[in-house]
Amino acid sequence: MSKLNNHIESLIFVSDRAISKNAIISALEQALEVNVKEEDFDKSLEELKAKYQAEDHSFELVEISGGYQFMTKGAYHNTIGQFLK
């Protein structure tokens, strides 16, 4: 499926908490009216994880609480902590 990575990325980005694999696949299938193969999803997810591991991103894609979420990398926690004070 064309642009699968972008669709997965957008769902994870917009969610205010970890979003499960099943919830992502369900949303994709409903919105795009296609069947999403689990192996295609897994491949896209690994590509996204690798993309955000690069040093030019301050956040990463992590598996947490039974789902996936974007989180700030540890190197930036002090900066964020100062801002949130």
Side-chain angles (χ1 to χ4, degrees):
M1 175 190 330
S2 177
K3 306 271 186 180
L4 181 59
N5 290 17
N6 292 351
H7 288 279
I8 293 171
E9 183 179 56
S10 69
L11 291 170
I12 296 170
F13 179 78
V14 74
S15 182
D16 62 347
R17 60 184 178 277
I19 182 172
S20 72
K21 179 179 188 174
N22 289 340
I24 295 169
I25 290 175
S26 177
L28 292 171
E29 290 181 340
Q30 290 176 35
L32 304 174
E33 298 179 342
V34 297
N35 289 325
V36 177
K37 295 178 185 175
E38 192 167 337
E39 58 267 15
D40 291 338
F41 175 87
D42 292 341
K43 181 178 184 257
S44 287
L45 199 66
E46 289 306 315
E47 290 172 1
L48 288 169
K49 284 181 182 178
K51 172 183 175 179
Y52 289 106
Q53 284 300 315
E55 287 187 27
D56 53 338
H57 294 285
S58 60
F59 54 92
E60 59 191 336
L61 177 56
V62 297
E63 189 170 351
I64 187 170
S65 300
Y68 303 94
Q69 190 171 21
F70 286 115
M71 300 186 82
T72 307
K73 291 179 180 175
Y76 304 97
H77 288 179
N78 186 47
T79 304
I80 292 168
Q82 289 301 314
F83 172 74
L84 294 175
K85 283 184 179 180

